[in-house]
Amino acid sequence: MSTRFLMIGPEDGKEVLKCLAAPARLSMLELLHARGPLNVNDIAEALDLPQSTTSTHLNLLEEAGLIRTEVSKARKGSQKVCHAVHEEIVLSFASPAKTAQEVIEVAMPVGLYSGYEVAAPCGMCSRDGIIGYLDSPDTFLTPDRMKAGLLWFTRGYVEYQFPNNARIKGAEVKELEIALELSSEVPGTSDNWPSDITLSINGHGIGAWTSPGDFGDRRGKYTPDWWKLRGSQYGVLKYFRVTDTGTFIDGIRISDTSLADLSLLEHRSIRLRIEVPETAEHPGGINIFGRGFGNYDQDIVLRLHT
């Protein structure tokens, strides 16, 4: 398996660098690399830290994308298990203008989908309030959807059409990357509510990520105050990368699907479908967070490395 590495710059890596500045958080990462996935109690005991302090540090590590967590059954109730995401973190001071590789980036607001088919419970909202009617799939037709910063549905898909700017420029794509914030969807919230979320590009499935839950234990960093606390508050920022050698999620290889399978040169646009299919083993719905909601103030980002 390829090494799972994260490359950051002085500007886009500020949150990661800030998170790594605490010795306790560095110790937690070292522990997870040495011993593998651990629950909160095990980490607290190994580092001789109070459980509350440990939980606070782990939340910050998760928000920075340095660990991922999943809820599993324990002897009594459930437990939160932590996994290290990256084996290496590289800080690069190279100027983007001087690097051999160019990145073409397009950010797509979550409400600007070009097609959809969704099942209730479903809905969307902007920073100012609910858009249209809750639990009515027809609301997804409203022009006000362009203002959406959060949308959710139980089954079905939304599809976005990105311009294929690499084709316009005549540039060869070396890597395609999708970055977006996702969670499951359940009435209210539940940390233990798995959902299989599938991404497709130009009609070709690139892979699925199983969201562990619908998170509402604390308010999302950018979620507006009017949104009820027991509603979906934030998700997990996921990176899907397609290269010449396969598809990766957060640096972990998940399939043989490669750039050649996507036939990018044959398409004037890049169609991204985000779906919870009827055949999903865990059909737990989906929340897609955009600007103004969740823990990451960003739209759905497509990057073409050329």
Side-chain angles (χ1 to χ4, degrees), residues 186-240:
V186 62
T189 64
S190 173
D191 287 343
N192 187 13
W193 190 263
S195 184
D196 298 334
I197 299 171
T198 300
L199 265 63
S200 302
I201 294 177
N202 291 342
H204 196 104
I206 63 170
W209 171 66
T210 301
S211 169
D214 183 357
F215 308 110
D217 56 314
R218 61 186 184 278
R219 185 167 295 281
K221 185 176 181 181
Y222 296 99
T223 300
D225 291 340
W226 68 265
W227 183 243
K228 59 186 183 298
L229 187 58
R230 289 301 299 171
S232 307
Q233 288 293 321
Y234 63 92
V236 180
L237 187 63
K238 305 303 295 181
Y239 293 90
F240 293 76

Side-chain angles (χ1 to χ4, degrees), residues 106-237:
V106 178
M108 182 71 70
V110 298
L112 288 187
Y113 42 84
S114 55
Y116 79 94
E117 184 176 316
V118 301
C122 61
M124 65 182 80
C125 53
S126 71
R127 285 194 59 85
D128 299 322
I130 299 292
I131 295 175
Y133 300 94
L134 292 178
D135 300 332
S136 172
D138 288 344
T139 285
F140 278 61
L141 292 169
T142 178
D144 284 342
R145 63 189 175 87
M146 64 182 296
K147 304 175 185 177
L150 170 65
L151 65 81
W152 64 93
F153 54 88
T154 306
R155 304 282 193 283
Y157 68 87
V158 285
E159 186 168 279
Y160 300 87
Q161 195 163 11
F162 289 81
N164 190 349
N165 290 332
R167 184 176 184 269
I168 295 172
K169 296 183 66 174
E172 181 183 0
V173 177
K174 300 293 186 182
E175 178 181 300
L176 180 150
E177 178 184 19
I178 302 289
L180 69 171
E181 185 176 355
L182 301 168
S183 79
S184 309
E185 163 57 19
V186 62
T189 64
S190 173
D191 287 343
N192 187 13
W193 190 263
S195 184
D196 298 334
I197 299 171
T198 300
L199 265 63
S200 302
I201 294 177
N202 291 342
H204 196 104
I206 63 170
W209 171 66
T210 301
S211 169
D214 183 357
F215 308 110
D217 56 314
R218 61 186 184 278
R219 185 167 295 281
K221 185 176 181 181
Y222 296 99
T223 300
D225 291 340
W226 68 265
W227 183 243
K228 59 186 183 298
L229 187 58
R230 289 301 299 171
S232 307
Q233 288 293 321
Y234 63 92
V236 180
L237 187 63

Side-chain angles (χ1 to χ4, degrees), residues 15-305:
E15 290 299 320
V16 172
L17 294 172
K18 185 177 179 181
C19 195
L20 294 175
R25 293 195 281 275
L26 282 175
S27 296
M28 290 176 184
L29 290 176
E30 290 176 343
L31 181 66
L32 291 173
H33 279 290
R35 295 176 51 181
L38 296 170
N39 64 33
V40 177
N41 290 335
D42 290 338
I43 295 171
E45 182 178 353
L47 298 179
D48 195 23
L49 291 171
Q51 185 174 350
S52 58
T53 301
T54 302
S55 295
T56 299
H57 284 306
L58 290 172
N59 287 337
L60 292 172
L61 286 168
E62 185 174 14
E63 289 177 9
L66 297 177
I67 66 169
R68 64 180 177 86
T69 62
E70 61 184 27
V71 178
S72 63
K73 291 183 178 179
R75 185 173 301 175
K76 295 182 178 180
S78 60
Q79 62 179 350
K80 190 174 185 178
V81 179
C82 304
H83 303 251
V85 173
H86 308 289
E87 294 177 5
E88 297 180 11
I89 299 174
V90 179
L91 173 62
S92 174
F93 291 96
S95 170
K98 295 180 180 179
T99 58
Q101 191 178 75
E102 180 185 357
V103 179
I104 303 172
E105 180 174 305
V106 178
M108 182 71 70
V110 298
L112 288 187
Y113 42 84
S114 55
Y116 79 94
E117 184 176 316
V118 301
C122 61
M124 65 182 80
C125 53
S126 71
R127 285 194 59 85
D128 299 322
I130 299 292
I131 295 175
Y133 300 94
L134 292 178
D135 300 332
S136 172
D138 288 344
T139 285
F140 278 61
L141 292 169
T142 178
D144 284 342
R145 63 189 175 87
M146 64 182 296
K147 304 175 185 177
L150 170 65
L151 65 81
W152 64 93
F153 54 88
T154 306
R155 304 282 193 283
Y157 68 87
V158 285
E159 186 168 279
Y160 300 87
Q161 195 163 11
F162 289 81
N164 190 349
N165 290 332
R167 184 176 184 269
I168 295 172
K169 296 183 66 174
E172 181 183 0
V173 177
K174 300 293 186 182
E175 178 181 300
L176 180 150
E177 178 184 19
I178 302 289
L180 69 171
E181 185 176 355
L182 301 168
S183 79
S184 309
E185 163 57 19
V186 62
T189 64
S190 173
D191 287 343
N192 187 13
W193 190 263
S195 184
D196 298 334
I197 299 171
T198 300
L199 265 63
S200 302
I201 294 177
N202 291 342
H204 196 104
I206 63 170
W209 171 66
T210 301
S211 169
D214 183 357
F215 308 110
D217 56 314
R218 61 186 184 278
R219 185 167 295 281
K221 185 176 181 181
Y222 296 99
T223 300
D225 291 340
W226 68 265
W227 183 243
K228 59 186 183 298
L229 187 58
R230 289 301 299 171
S232 307
Q233 288 293 321
Y234 63 92
V236 180
L237 187 63
K238 305 303 295 181
Y239 293 90
F240 293 76
R241 291 184 176 92
V242 186
T243 72
D244 288 333
T245 60
T247 297
F248 301 77
I249 297 181
D250 299 334
I252 301 174
R253 192 172 191 276
I254 61 166
S255 78
D256 294 330
T257 302
S258 68
L259 287 171
D261 298 316
L262 305 184
S263 304
L264 295 180
L265 291 178
E266 300 175 12
H267 298 276
R268 298 175 60 185
S269 64
I270 298 173
R271 291 177 292 108
L272 169 67
R273 178 173 290 197
I274 306 169
E275 183 175 16
V276 178
E278 292 288 345
T279 56
E281 181 181 354
H282 305 102
I286 184 173
N287 279 277
I288 306 176
F289 297 83
R291 285 194 177 276
F293 279 83
N295 281 343
Y296 303 91
D297 194 25
Q298 69 166 58
D299 300 313
I300 301 171
V301 176
L302 168 70
R303 299 187 182 99
L304 300 175
H305 299 257

